[in-house]
Amino acid sequence: MHRRWIEAALLVSLATIIAGPVSAQKAQQLAQQPSIMQEEQDTMPPPPPPPAKPARSRKGKPAPAFEHDPDLDAQDQFSPSQIQQPMPDAVAMPSGGGRTRTHAAAHGTEAHGTEAHGTDAVVEPSAVVRPSRTAKPNIVACSGVFAKDSSHAKLAMAFQSRNVAYTQVDASSGGKVMASVIYAKDPKRRLEVWWSKPASKSDTHLIVINGQSDWIAPGELHLGLTLAELENLNGKSFKLSGFDKDRVATLSDWNGGTLSALAGGCKVGVSLRADPKTPASALTDLPADRGFTSSDAPLRAANPTVSEILVAY
C-alpha cells in the first residue's frame, strides 16, 4: 500500500512540472484509479463456478430412471419402491362342463379311450393319464428278514419303522400274544411275526397270514386256495383233521409231498374254512377229532378254502 502512494506522489509532481495545475489534477486522478479499481474488485461477488461435467455411467449403464426434484418437498416425492399398483381381479375359470381342449401328443396313441392322431382331443382335467403300475407281490421266504435269526429291528429297517408295530394279536387259545405286525392298518398287506424271544423281539417263531392278506408263503401258498389246488402244489394228496365249531379244518401232514420240505429250515401249515353255503349237517360226519385225506369225497363236498397260513421254525 505504501508503495502505491509513493508512485502516485511522483506522478503528481511530474505532471505539475510539465503540464501545470490542470494536468496535475488529472494525473492525480489517474494515480488514484488503481486503488478505486482494486476496491471495486474487492466488493464484487466471486464468479460462479464452471458447470459440472455430466456424470459418466459405469460400463455404459443408463442413469437412474428416478431423480429427486429439488423444487418438491420431501413428502411430495416417491421412490419407485413406494409406488404400488392394485392387483387385478382374479380371472374366473370358464364354465360349461369343465372340459378343456388340448392338442393331442404325437405318436398317435390312445388316451382314456380317445384316439389321438394329431388332432384336438377332449381331455377331462380330473382324468390324469398315469402309467399303469403292477403291484409287487408280498412274498414270505424262509430267509432274509423272515429268516430264523430275524428281529423286529430288521423288519423295521426293511419295511420302515412307521409300517411295523409291536402289538397284541389273537392266539388260537383265545388269549393275546405280543407280535410285530407289518402294515397293521392295511388288511391286504397285513402280516404277523411272532418271536421266540419276546423280550428282545427276536428269533422268529411264527409268521401268520390270515384275514384278507395277500402275502404269498413259501411253496406259492396264499389264502383262498382249494383242496384241489393245494394237492397240485404239494404234488399229491395230504392229511387234515375234520371241521371244528368254527367250520375250520387243519392240516396234519403233507404226506411227504413237495410242501413238506422247504428251503431255509421252515415249515408251513394251513387251515381251511368250509364254504358258507355248505349246510351244517354236511359237516356233522367230518368232526375235528378225526383225520381225513384231501381226496375224500365228503371233505371235498364241503368245498373248503385256505383261510390261514402258518410259517414256523
Side-chain angles (χ1 to χ4, degrees):
M1 181 65 72
H2 293 287
R3 183 179 178 183
R4 291 176 182 174
W5 283 108
I6 293 170
E7 290 176 354
L10 290 175
L11 287 175
V12 171
S13 299
L14 183 61
T16 303
I17 296 170
I18 296 175
V22 176
S23 298
Q25 184 178 4
K26 186 175 181 180
Q28 186 178 3
Q29 293 176 354
L30 291 173
Q32 293 176 350
Q33 187 173 359
S35 298
I36 296 171
M37 292 177 64
Q38 182 64 36
E39 291 177 0
E40 291 178 352
Q41 290 179 358
D42 293 340
T43 57
M44 289 179 65
K53 294 182 180 181
R56 284 176 143 185
S57 60
R58 297 181 181 178
K59 298 182 181 181
K61 294 183 179 180
F66 175 79
E67 295 182 357
H68 288 277
D69 190 344
D71 296 332
L72 294 177
D73 295 335
Q75 61 183 359
D76 295 330
Q77 300 192 49
F78 293 91
S79 65
S81 61
Q82 292 174 302
I83 300 175
Q84 298 180 354
Q85 296 181 354
M87 294 296 293
D89 294 336
V91 179
M93 294 297 292
S95 59
R99 298 188 300 176
T100 57
R101 299 186 66 84
T102 180
H103 190 72
H107 311 304
T109 58
E110 292 187 4
H112 289 277
T114 302
E115 294 185 358
H117 299 287
T119 60
D120 287 344
V122 177
V123 179
E124 296 289 344
S126 60
V128 180
V129 179
R130 292 187 177 91
S132 59
R133 196 169 58 173
T134 303
K136 184 179 179 180
N138 296 313
I139 299 176
V140 174
C142 300
S143 59
V145 293
F146 298 117
K148 174 67 175 175
D149 61 352
S150 188
S151 65
H152 180 90
K154 291 182 179 180
L155 293 178
M157 291 180 63
F159 298 98
Q160 299 185 353
S161 58
R162 68 174 182 271
N163 297 322
V164 183
Y166 190 63
T167 185
Q168 289 185 338
V169 297
D170 296 328
S172 57
S173 60
K176 299 282 186 180
V177 297
M178 296 298 296
S180 296
V181 182
I182 304 172
Y183 303 118
K185 297 181 180 180
D186 187 345
K188 292 290 185 181
R189 296 192 295 171
R190 189 180 183 277
L191 185 72
E192 297 177 10
V193 181
W194 299 18
W195 307 109
S196 296
K197 300 176 181 178
S200 60
K201 294 180 282 188
S202 62
D203 197 1
T204 308
H205 170 58
L206 199 64
I207 301 171
V208 182
I209 305 173
N210 55 21
Q212 303 175 33
S213 180
D214 58 7
W215 281 85
I216 299 175
E220 300 183 13
L221 292 174
H222 60 84
L223 300 181
L225 290 172
T226 64
L227 285 174
E229 290 170 335
L230 283 174
E231 286 180 351
N232 184 51
L233 291 173
N234 190 48
K236 59 187 303 185
S237 61
F238 52 90
K239 298 177 181 180
L240 67 163
S241 66
F243 297 95
D244 61 15
K245 59 182 179 60
D246 295 321
R247 302 168 61 93
V248 174
T250 304
L251 172 87
S252 58
D253 193 347
W254 286 114
N255 201 24
T258 303
L259 297 176
S260 62
L262 300 172
C266 64
K267 298 179 180 180
V268 62
V270 296
S271 295
L272 300 95
R273 190 180 301 277
D275 191 317
K277 298 179 181 179
T278 303
S281 57
L283 303 179
T284 323
D285 296 332
L286 302 168
D289 56 353
R290 287 177 54 186
F292 300 89
T293 303
S294 58
S295 57
D296 290 345
L299 199 65
R300 292 226 178 191
N303 194 24
T305 56
V306 175
S307 58
E308 186 176 59
I309 303 172
L310 304 179
V311 180
Y313 286 95

